[in-house]
Every structure is written in C-alpha cells, then in structure tokens.
Amino acid sequence: MRILHTSDWHIGRTFHGTPTLSALRGVLEALVATVRSESVDVVVVAGDVFDSAAPAADCYTVLTETLAGLRDTGAHVVVTSGNHDSAARLGFQAALLRDGVRILTDPAAVATPVTIDDEHGPVHFYGIPYLEPALVRRQWPGVRTQAQALAHAMGLVRADATARGGRYVVAAHCFAAGVEATPHLERDIQQGGLDVVPLAVFDGPDYCALGHIHGRTVLSDRVRYAGAPLHYSFGERDKPRGAWIVDLDAAGVADARWATLPVPRPLRVLTGTLDELLADERFADAEDAWVSARYTDTVAQVDPMRRLQRRFPYCAEVRHVPARTAPADTRSFASRVQAARSDTELVDAFLTHVRNGEGADPAEAALIRDVLDERVAVEVSA
C-alpha cells in the first residue's frame, strides 16, 4: 500500500497581509498530480486543514476541489483536524461525503479506524484530532495536559489495533519531542513542559503521520512530520515543501521518500545598507521573490518600505538592524539640553536622544551649522 502523508494546509492564511489562497490552490493541484503519478492508495492529511475556526466561503471551495481531485485519482483520503480547525465545522458533513473520503474529528471515535485492504490484508487508519485537554477531560477523567491526552488516545488505539490484528497507521496533530518549531508561527500549542508529547507515546503503529510542525522532520523511520505545503513565514524559507510517500509491505514500512512540491514564490532575507539594497546587483535575483529586508544604516531611514518596493515589489517586511550602535548614554534629554553650550549642540542633543545615542554625522552637522548661521544672519539684519 502506498500512502501520501501531508498536513498543515492552512487554507485561508495570509502572508504578511497578502492572501495565499491562489498560490495554495496551485500547490494542492500539484499535490493531486503527485498522487496520480505515484499511484498513491491513501492520502493522509494530519490536521490544520483550515487556518481558522471560521474560514471564508472560498476556503471551503478550495478544500472541496482538492478532496474531489484526490478522490478522482482513485486514492482514499483520511483527514483529521488540527488546533487551527474547528473540529465541528470541519467534520459536520463527514457522513455525507463521497465514498472514499473520511474526515475524523471526534475524540470519542479515535479507536474506530478506517480500514483499507491491500494484497497483504487490512490496514487500519486511526485519526487522532487535536486534543484540547480542557475538552477531552470530560470523557477521559484525569487528563490535564496534551501529552496525557495523546497518551490516553494512543492507548485506546493500540488496544483496538491489537484486537483487530494487522497493520495500522495513526494520524495525529501535536508538538512531539525532538522537533524545532518556527518562531512566532507554531505557538498555538505550548512547547514547554508537559505539553510536549514524548516520542514513546507513538510506539506501536507501523507509521505515524504527524501534523503541526511546518518543516519536514523525521523523528524515526515510523514517525514523521510532512510540514506545510506552502511557506507561511520567512523563518520557514529554507525548509523544503512537499509530502512523504510511504510504502507499506506485509511487515510495515518498506520505504519512505520525499515528494517535492512547487514553491510559487521563493522567500529571501536581504541584509545591507538601504542604498545597497536599492542598487547593489548582488540582490538582483530577489526582485521577484518575497523579501524581508534588514537595513543596517546607523540611523532609521525615511519610508524604507515604499522605497524598497520600487525594486522589490514583493517586499513584505522591513527591519532596521543597525550594524553599529552608539555607546549607552543614560542621561535624560533634560540633562543633555542643560549641557548644551550652543544651538548646534542643542540640536545635536536632540538628535542623540531620538536616535538612541547617535548624534549628527559630519554632513548633517555642516547643514545644521549653515541653517543656524542663516537664522542668526536674518535676526541681525532685522
């Protein structure tokens, strides 16, 4: 049996305020093409199908098109919910879906598998949706953390799989021990303490298809993250986009390989002075990329985003990261004013205060002197 493992589609997410729906639709079309060309038998989507609990109508259209396209290849589709999804909204029509597409969102049904046969016998697919401890503790007394919730769910799964016999696959959405998150992106599930799920929790299944982490990660031959199919932050820019293709034989996992998906627009982080970013040819290959610009000028520049977007139309982020910082000066602005012995020093004291310790450079100092001298000349002539 050939399985394609994907996750974290985040349909409806924006990238620095820009909609990603059109780009994601193209990537998911490529995913469907991969399923067809690789003769995949089962597609497993391990949570975070949508980016929010209340997605817009066009998000449902993309999901419907993708599920229909996957099923038209002949593959079965098994989908679980993640922490970004509303399990109720994602699963409310589960019983009405076309044959071969199953959406598993009910924690009470984690031990009820979708069973699909191949030439070696049955393979049981168990879908564990994102388990919010505050909600599942009503039916699973004693559960206080996500680690405990996953451990309890996996206990139920193992017991059922043992009774049924045969091979089995688990899809789950969690933060497992041994993986690194993308800063400011995968923060919705706590990463510290007991909310990290130990790898040993996933002992038993022939394969565990995990979701939540946006980068491809191999925790063991049997436990993997596929990551997101689209880049959703600059922190992900070096992480490949794709899905795992896993072959099961009579004994379990026989092979696992990476299927690459297209990147609609690459992500680049550029560093230099603002003048370098605006003119240097070494940045020419980023002119059609999403750009995060870090300009290193000592002082903040005027309207850097607008100026950078003239060269980089897809500049989405600008940060001021001075290459050199002035020595710390703990004096208050009032004390700096009191210490000034001339109007020139008074202006310099103001610049030093608002620029975090950086006073006028030589060209600015000359301009200040010229302006002040002109003012004095006008006052004397009057």
Side-chain angles (χ1 to χ4, degrees):
M1 179 176 292
R2 177 160 291 176
I3 301 165
L4 183 138
H5 164 202
T6 178
S7 70
D8 295 274
W9 291 356
H10 286 281
I11 302 172
R13 196 181 190 100
T14 60
F15 180 79
H16 292 270
T18 300
T20 63
L21 202 59
S22 177
L24 180 60
R25 177 184 270 113
V27 173
L28 292 178
E29 288 172 353
L31 180 72
V32 171
T34 298
V35 170
R36 179 176 288 106
S37 65
E38 293 284 351
S39 300
V40 170
D41 299 299
V42 184
V43 176
V44 176
V45 186
D48 278 356
V49 176
F50 292 121
D51 189 58
S52 72
D58 51 0
C59 297
Y60 283 98
T61 300
V62 170
L63 177 60
T64 300
E65 292 172 350
T66 304
L67 294 180
L70 291 171
R71 187 60 185 132
D72 286 343
T73 68
H76 292 263
V77 184
V78 178
V79 182
T80 62
S81 53
N83 58 302
H84 278 251
D85 298 308
S86 163
R89 285 192 175 94
L90 182 61
F92 85 102
Q93 282 188 325
L96 304 177
L97 291 172
R98 62 195 293 184
D99 181 53
V101 179
R102 295 291 301 275
I103 296 181
L104 310 177
T105 63
D106 184 2
V110 294
T112 303
V114 175
T115 299
I116 302 169
D117 293 318
D118 67 5
E119 64 270 28
H120 303 296
V123 178
H124 309 296
F125 290 82
Y126 295 88
I128 302 178
Y130 168 65
L131 300 174
E132 176 58 53
L135 299 180
V136 298
R137 71 178 55 142
R138 299 174 186 174
Q139 51 191 301
W140 299 340
V143 167
R144 291 291 181 270
T145 69
Q146 201 193 23
Q148 292 172 344
L150 260 296
H152 184 87
M154 283 298 300
L156 297 175
V157 167
R158 276 190 289 266
D160 184 81
T162 299
R164 292 177 186 273
R167 297 154 295 164
Y168 68 109
V169 173
V170 169
H173 196 88
C174 65
F175 189 92
V179 295
E180 181 179 352
T182 305
H184 311 300
L185 187 69
E186 296 145 353
R187 62 188 181 278
D188 304 275
I189 298 177
Q190 293 184 18
Q191 300 166 17
L194 295 177
D195 283 327
V196 174
V197 180
L199 183 59
V201 165
F202 298 106
D203 287 349
D206 293 276
Y207 184 73
C208 288
L210 300 186
H212 181 57
I213 298 302
H214 284 201
R216 177 185 69 184
T217 306
V218 178
L219 297 179
S220 76
D221 289 343
R222 300 179 305 101
V223 184
R224 300 169 187 254
Y225 283 96
L230 202 63
H231 289 112
Y232 288 116
S233 83
F234 285 102
E236 301 177 13
R237 65 190 183 276
D238 295 326
K239 298 178 180 179
R241 304 291 87 169
W244 288 109
I245 294 180
V246 179
D247 290 329
L248 295 185
D249 61 15
V253 174
D255 183 51
R257 54 192 171 85
W258 185 248
T260 300
L261 289 174
V263 176
R265 190 176 305 282
L267 280 67
R268 293 285 306 278
V269 174
L270 310 181
T271 303
T273 66
L274 188 59
D275 285 342
E276 290 173 340
L277 294 173
L278 292 173
D280 200 312
E281 282 302 308
R282 75 179 188 271
F283 301 126
D285 62 348
E287 291 176 357
D288 194 44
W290 287 113
V291 167
S292 173
R294 286 86 187 276
Y295 71 95
T296 59
D297 302 65
T298 302
V299 299
Q301 300 297 297
V302 176
D303 206 2
M305 176 67 85
R306 179 182 59 81
R307 295 163 66 186
L308 284 163
Q309 285 181 338
R310 291 175 182 170
R311 182 180 188 187
F312 307 106
Y314 301 100
C315 182
E317 179 182 66
V318 177
R319 297 183 187 179
H320 181 213
V321 287
R324 180 174 61 87
T325 57
D329 187 342
T330 58
R331 291 182 299 164
S332 66
F333 179 56
S335 64
R336 288 180 176 136
V337 169
Q338 292 172 356
R341 293 168 296 179
S342 65
D343 287 347
T344 302
E345 290 185 0
L346 183 62
V347 174
D348 190 67
F350 171 76
L351 292 175
T352 301
H353 178 70
V354 299
R355 290 175 169 179
N356 296 319
E358 187 69 31
D361 62 28
E364 291 170 332
L367 179 61
I368 292 168
R369 287 194 298 271
D370 289 345
V371 171
L372 293 175
D373 288 346
E374 183 177 342
R375 190 200 68 177
V376 170
V378 170
E379 290 176 350
V380 169
S381 63

